[in-house]
Amino acid sequence: MITRDIILFGKPGSGKGTLGKNIIKADTGFLHMSTGDIFRDNMKRETELGLEIIEVMDTGELVNDELTCAIVEDWLEQIDENKYVIYDGFPRTEHQLHWLLVYYHENNRKLPFFVEIDISDEIVIERITQRAIEQDRPEDQKPYIIKQRLNVYDSQTNIIKELIHEYLPPEQIIKLDGTLPMKKVHNSMLQTIERNPIG
Ligand code: AMP
């Protein structure tokens, strides 16, 4: 049994979303926090937020940190306290990571597991192209946007992998091979957590 939140971390297309949804299917004690899903939903419904972020989403850049953290905070304020959270696509910058850790500290929440999914750009490009067709994700349909999303990951998000070691003990950081079939990635994560003294 997993008794703390989980940050799923990896490039766009690394399988974070699928892994998150599978964990929730298998364990109903979890809630899925996907900033990307919230932003896409707002764009579809053409809310004020949706209209504000449409250009950013269209270029593969990140929505600004203040807005993103405010969305996450709002969401966290409304959830059932007895459930654990799976973050999928958050935090994505150093600022967001610090914001989240301060929030956890101030709210006496147990620090999450950090699950890092490792995968090459080539496989990610193949997957994103396929997903764009299957899931109607307009921002993923143009090759230059996919490239841009990977550049943004390298320049703003990847750094979190190093920073996280300053905040979490090694047993709370779990590395997974994202090239394996998703079921194997899922099982490997569960096995690592079950063997983990801090579970
Ligand atoms: P995703 O589905 O997680 O790949 O997110 C799709 C798009 O939503 C990203 O390319 C960003 O424009 C925006 N987005 C999602 N999560 C974040 C975040 N944590 N910070 C900033 N922008 C985000």
Side-chain angles (χ1 to χ4, degrees), residues 18-155:
T18 312
L19 180 58
K21 284 171 191 146
N22 287 346
I23 298 167
I24 289 159
K25 249 190 245 158
D27 184 341
T28 50
F30 278 96
L31 298 169
H32 192 209
M33 174 356 104
S34 161
T35 36
D37 281 355
I38 294 181
F39 291 146
R40 269 184 294 279
D41 174 57
N42 276 275
M43 274 172 43
K44 275 199 186 135
R45 290 189 292 116
E46 299 185 342
T47 63
E48 203 178 317
L49 167 68
L51 297 172
E52 198 176 329
I53 61 176
I54 208 157
E55 267 179 45
V56 184
M57 298 277 286
D58 267 355
T59 53
E61 296 289 336
L62 295 182
V63 175
N64 75 65
D65 284 333
E66 285 67 30
L67 194 55
T68 305
C69 294
I71 297 280
V72 176
E73 183 168 13
D74 244 27
W75 185 90
L76 284 168
E77 299 297 322
Q78 290 172 30
I79 58 168
D80 175 351
E81 280 178 20
N82 298 316
K83 296 221 170 187
Y84 296 104
V85 179
I86 295 183
Y87 294 93
D88 159 13
F90 183 90
R92 243 169 159 114
T93 63
E94 188 172 349
H95 179 98
Q96 293 178 13
L97 173 67
H98 287 141
W99 176 86
L100 190 68
L101 293 167
V102 169
Y103 182 92
Y104 269 55
H105 182 70
E106 287 175 350
N107 290 278
N108 288 322
R109 246 186 126 88
K110 271 200 295 187
L111 288 180
F113 278 114
F114 186 82
V115 175
E116 207 180 297
I117 308 174
D118 193 30
I119 195 163
S120 70
D121 280 8
E122 290 69 32
I123 299 186
V124 153
I125 290 168
E126 264 173 45
R127 281 200 192 161
I128 295 184
T129 313
Q130 188 58 30
R131 182 180 71 185
I133 302 163
E134 288 169 6
Q135 295 183 10
D136 184 28
R137 291 201 188 196
E139 84 273 15
D140 282 346
Q141 279 166 13
K142 300 178 189 117
Y144 70 88
I145 296 183
I146 301 178
K147 273 253 146 54
Q148 180 56 15
R149 276 154 59 74
L150 289 169
N151 288 341
V152 167
Y153 174 87
D154 284 340
S155 62

